[in-house]
Amino acid sequence: MYLLVIFLPLLSSIICCFFSRWIGFLRAWQIATSLLGITFFICIIIFYEIGLSSTTCTVEIGNWFNVGFFQSPWSFLFDSLTASMLIVVTSVSFLVHMYSGSYMEFDPHLGRFVGYLSLFTFFMLILVTGDNFMQLFLGWEGVGLSSYLLINFWFTRIQANKAAIKAMMVNRIGDISLTLGIALIYIYFKSVRYAVVFASVSYYKDLDFYFLGLNLPVLDLICIFLLIAAVGKSAQLGLHTWLPDAMEGPTPVSALIHAATMVTAGVFLLVRCSPIYEHASEDIRLLVVLVGALTAFFAATTGLMQHDLKKVIAYSTCSQLGYMVFACGLSFYSVGMFHLINHAFFKALLFLSAGSVIHSLSDEQDIRYMGGLSKLIPFTYIFIMIGSLSLMGFPFLTGFYSKDLILELAFSTFSPIGHFAFWMGSLAAFFTALYSFRIIYYVFLGPINGNRVVYSNIHDAPLLIAVPLTLLGFASIFAGYLGKDLFVGLGTDFWGNSIYCAPLNTTTVDAEFLPVYFKLIPVILSMIGLSCAYIFQTYTMFELKTTNSLFIVLFNFLNRKWLFDRIYNEWISQKGLWFGYVISYKTLDKGVLEYFGPAGLTHLARNLSVFSSSLQTGLIFSYAFLILLVALFLLSITLFYYMGYAVVETLCVAMCAFFIYMFVSKNVD
């Protein structure tokens, strides 16, 4: 049963990718959706057996690597952390498969698309179920490959090509870092299995790594490499640029990548490696908090000025992932996982609702060409409202129970970095309300700005789109309330040994005694954000855009995404290309190396051949003289060895003889 969870999506992918032409695209989609539905049902059983019963199961099926002392088996670990991730991944994937049947109904490559979705799900399941770092790395690379295939699904579009290549290249940085981290783990721990590494991590707390005269703590160095990997995969500040561009893929891809699979892999890595981070120095955890808090604030501000509907939601994903990351940095791994689970449901709801809007408007994604849709597609309007309110952390919706808890716990640490994360997260909540209402106003409440022909053919969500939206809508309302006591309740033992937190870092109880007004700050800021958004969008936005020079500068700065893309393109990529062409290619490869290499040797050989040919006169006198000249040269070497002073005289005689020979030979000719 446990192995079926992993291999049913692989079977689905094989059927859809290789046999859909023979069995029909519709039949392939039906088979894939059915297999994913079975997988989700099995995951519910596993969640009951593993999570609710507080047990752990390991399934080993054979050896993968067995080279010397390096051993890595095919082994799958099912604990509370894995069971929770299985529910998230398979539920969202099942609903996305169902949704794709209607959204991609008229695409001639529906079978291949569904096959890619199943392959994506398979590699994500490999990532979360592996009981060693090598299987995690396999799943890590697999989701990267699958994301490239899905983002570039419409490969005839140049922007899709660029986005897919960008996603692949940016994620290479994180992948290299993960490789170095796993290499260090094996060098010092002599194993890549979680059980061995986590059990012995305390013995390496004070061990140093010597490199170029520097003494670096081993655990700190491993944590830095793992953090860079998580930053790349979860699109944190600095390596975030690939995620908004990934919206070039079909909308179901966006929902799967942003909600349940690829971007959550980085957070899962941090949570899985919690024993390593807890035994590392405090500075490492402060770095994690700093990265997460700045990402939450940055992404929230950038989403304010975007006009593409899917890109606004994409930046909200970056922002929410920042909450999860700094929660892990503050040692609240269970709360970070709780927010990951909640976020998967309402973010999938937002993306699929956005896809319904785009589908009804004949693939229009610019919110400036929408408006007045609340009466035309009321069903979609209801669910995008639910998703937006849950994203804002509206009281008693799913997002409220985890998002506000993260902020409360951040403040309850009573440390400068905790308060910094609290205020960055609170400001991010304010801006989240701003861009959420901006979406709702432009798309549903504002004046109609779209094409009349498009609006005349508008339609609400069909059945295969309505069912996933309904299920995700209920999850976005009730999942947080139903899971709060199980996942983060005081005294809960749900996570067991799957998550480790040092006793000194446990401050969950302190959050219960915070003053009420501190707990209400995020909610109050969200309400203020809603009010400001209403005022800006309905009364003063046009005047600000046209008259206020400061607003124009701020608008350009945020609209250009804090100039990250410009910095990467003009200062890094272009300089790198210039160095590669001018210095590496023209100066070194085609210049110095050619002169002293092939071209120089060829020229030297040609000159020597011409000179040697000139010596071939055909006269016995010439050959005898050359023999005599060689004998004199050898004699000069001997004299130099025994009588160094005579070598000059000998060389002079030889040179004179050579010139005499050349003169005589020319006269003879």
Side-chain angles (χ1 to χ4, degrees):
M1 180 183 71
Y2 291 91
L3 295 180
L4 283 177
V5 170
I6 300 167
F7 292 107
L8 282 180
L10 179 61
L11 177 62
S12 169
S13 176
I14 293 172
I15 293 173
C16 293
C17 289
F18 295 101
F19 303 103
S20 59
R21 291 182 179 270
W22 287 271
I23 65 177
F25 300 131
L26 181 61
R27 183 64 55 85
W29 167 77
Q30 292 173 347
I31 293 173
T33 307
S34 302
L35 291 176
L36 266 296
I38 296 171
T39 304
F40 174 56
F41 179 74
I42 297 173
C43 288
I44 295 175
I45 299 174
I46 292 175
F47 184 80
Y48 174 78
E49 289 186 354
I50 300 298
L52 300 182
S53 301
S54 300
T55 58
T56 301
C57 177
T58 302
V59 181
E60 187 168 335
I61 61 176
N63 288 327
W64 184 15
F65 287 108
N66 192 358
V67 182
F69 293 102
F70 180 65
Q71 297 181 356
S72 179
W74 280 110
S75 184
F76 301 93
L77 172 65
F78 295 89
D79 56 5
S80 299
L81 181 59
T82 302
S84 303
M85 288 296 298
L86 288 178
I87 289 289
V88 172
V89 173
T90 55
S91 61
V92 175
S93 180
F94 168 61
L95 295 176
V96 167
H97 276 73
M98 184 187 299
Y99 181 95
S100 301
S102 178
Y103 191 88
M104 306 289 288
E105 181 180 5
F106 300 106
D107 196 294
H109 304 288
L110 175 62
R112 178 166 60 90
F113 178 75
V114 177
Y116 289 167
L117 289 179
S118 299
L119 185 66
F120 203 164
T121 306
F122 165 72
F123 279 119
M124 190 65 193
L125 294 176
I126 289 289
L127 191 153
V128 301
T129 58
D131 86 328
N132 57 78
F133 285 98
M134 292 302 299
Q135 281 181 241
L136 181 142
F137 184 75
L138 175 65
W140 191 276
E141 292 297 311
V143 295
L145 172 64
S146 303
S147 68
Y148 175 84
L149 297 174
L150 288 169
I151 296 170
N152 199 30
F153 179 75
W154 288 323
F155 54 85
T156 56
R157 298 168 54 181
I158 187 65
Q159 291 301 324
N161 299 153
K162 291 180 179 179
I165 293 173
K166 187 177 184 179
M168 180 67 72
M169 295 301 296
V170 173
N171 276 280
R172 288 307 93 191
I173 301 173
D175 297 346
I176 293 171
S177 181
L178 179 60
T179 305
L180 295 175
I182 295 174
L184 275 179
I185 289 173
Y186 176 73
I187 290 171
Y188 285 93
F189 292 88
K190 308 302 180 186
S191 177
V192 292
R193 302 194 69 163
Y194 296 148
V196 177
V197 174
F198 298 157
S200 58
V201 67
S202 60
Y203 296 101
Y204 297 90
K205 188 174 183 180
D206 300 321
L207 188 65
D208 292 336
F209 176 77
Y210 299 96
F211 181 72
L212 296 177
L214 300 175
N215 297 337
L216 305 172
V218 171
L219 295 185
D220 290 3
L221 195 58
I222 293 173
C223 288
I224 290 174
F225 285 136
L226 297 180
L227 175 61
I228 296 173
V231 167
K233 193 67 75 176
S234 292
Q236 297 298 286
L237 188 65
L239 299 178
H240 67 279
T241 55
W242 69 271
L243 192 61
D245 292 344
M247 298 300 100
E248 291 296 331
T251 301
V253 175
S254 304
L256 194 59
I257 290 178
H258 289 245
T261 53
M262 188 169 175
V263 296
T264 61
V267 180
F268 173 81
L269 177 65
L270 296 178
V271 177
R272 176 63 79 186
C273 296
S274 57
I276 302 177
Y277 279 91
E278 290 297 292
H279 287 89
S281 65
E282 187 178 356
D283 295 337
I284 298 298
R285 294 193 295 275
L286 296 183
L287 179 61
V288 177
V289 175
L290 185 64
V291 170
L294 290 177
T295 302
F297 178 77
F298 153 77
T301 57
T302 306
L304 288 174
M305 303 302 174
Q306 301 301 310
H307 303 299
D308 189 299
L309 177 58
K310 290 168 63 176
K311 283 190 177 181
V312 176
I313 305 174
Y315 277 108
S316 76
T317 300
C318 290
S319 182
Q320 299 303 308
L321 288 168
Y323 283 97
M324 305 173 203
V325 170
F326 80 69
C328 294
L330 294 171
S331 299
F332 305 129
Y333 303 98
S334 60
V335 183
M337 277 300 303
F338 184 41
H339 192 52
L340 185 152
I341 296 169
N342 292 343
H343 170 264
F345 295 127
F346 64 74
K347 186 52 56 73
L349 176 63
L350 278 174
F351 268 113
L352 296 186
S353 300
S356 178
V357 173
I358 295 168
H359 194 63
S360 63
L361 291 176
S362 302
D363 298 327
E364 178 60 64
Q365 294 185 195
D366 197 323
I367 60 176
R368 294 171 296 182
Y369 299 102
M370 302 179 185
L373 295 179
S374 59
K375 296 181 180 179
L376 299 176
I377 46 174
F379 185 82
T380 303
Y381 172 59
I382 292 172
F383 287 107
I384 207 167
M385 278 289 296
I386 293 172
S388 298
L389 291 174
S390 187
L391 172 65
M392 289 186 284
F394 194 81
F396 309 114
L397 295 183
T398 291
F400 168 79
Y401 291 99
S402 54
K403 184 178 177 180
D404 279 37
L405 181 59
I406 290 174
L407 296 176
E408 291 177 17
L409 292 172
F411 192 87
S412 67
T413 58
F414 298 106
S415 63
I417 192 66
H419 288 178
F420 173 78
F422 171 80
W423 288 111
M424 287 291 101
S426 299
L427 290 174
F430 170 78
F431 291 118
T432 300
L434 277 175
Y435 65 68
S436 297
F437 182 83
R438 181 169 175 264
I439 290 176
I440 294 170
Y441 178 81
Y442 269 104
V443 178
F444 295 100
L445 304 179
I448 297 175
N449 296 313
N451 190 297
R452 180 179 295 180
V453 177
V454 174
Y455 270 72
S456 63
N457 298 320
I458 200 169
H459 55 86
D460 213 336
L463 180 62
L464 289 178
I465 292 180
V467 172
L469 293 184
T470 303
L471 296 175
L472 290 171
F474 278 107
S476 300
I477 297 173
F478 300 111
Y481 175 76
L482 296 175
K484 64 181 178 68
D485 290 327
L486 176 65
F487 295 118
V488 295
L490 293 177
T492 181
D493 59 347
F494 173 79
W495 300 107
N497 295 325
S498 61
I499 294 177
Y500 174 78
C501 182
L504 296 177
N505 297 333
T506 304
T507 59
T508 309
V509 179
D510 297 339
E512 298 295 323
F513 301 96
L514 281 179
V516 178
Y517 53 86
F518 280 114
K519 295 186 177 184
L520 294 177
I521 285 177
V523 178
I524 294 172
L525 287 175
S526 296
M527 298 300 105
I528 294 174
L530 280 175
S531 304
C532 292
Y534 179 77
I535 296 171
F536 288 163
Q537 298 296 337
T538 55
Y539 295 105
T540 63
M541 184 59 73
F542 181 76
E543 289 79 4
L544 285 172
K545 287 182 178 179
T546 54
T547 61
N548 194 304
S549 58
L550 178 62
F551 184 84
I552 294 173
V553 173
L554 183 62
F555 174 83
N556 291 331
F557 178 71
L558 297 179
N559 191 47
R560 295 178 182 178
K561 312 164 191 175
W562 285 33
L563 305 178
F564 271 100
D565 285 317
R566 183 173 182 179
I567 292 171
Y568 288 157
N569 292 335
E570 296 184 6
W571 293 5
I572 299 177
S573 300
Q574 289 187 8
K575 299 298 182 184
L577 292 173
W578 176 87
F579 179 85
Y581 179 73
V582 176
I583 304 299
S584 180
Y585 177 71
K586 293 186 67 176
T587 305
L588 295 177
D589 189 25
K590 292 296 186 182
V592 176
L593 295 179
E594 281 289 332
Y595 184 79
F596 292 101
L601 293 175
T602 303
H603 183 70
L604 179 62
R606 186 185 298 115
N607 293 337
L608 290 175
S609 64
V610 171
F611 176 72
S612 61
S613 300
S614 66
L615 300 178
Q616 302 294 323
T617 61
L619 300 175
I620 297 176
F621 168 78
S622 300
Y623 298 136
F625 189 83
L626 288 175
I627 294 171
L628 178 61
L629 189 63
V630 172
L632 287 173
F633 179 73
L634 296 175
L635 180 62
S636 65
I637 294 175
T638 306
L639 291 173
F640 179 77
Y641 182 76
Y642 291 103
M643 303 167 55
Y645 63 89
V647 70
V648 178
E649 182 180 355
T650 307
L651 290 176
C652 290
V653 172
M655 291 176 63
C656 292
F658 178 75
F659 286 119
I660 293 171
Y661 162 75
M662 295 297 294
F663 178 76
V664 172
S665 62
K666 286 183 179 181
N667 288 333
V668 171
D669 292 339

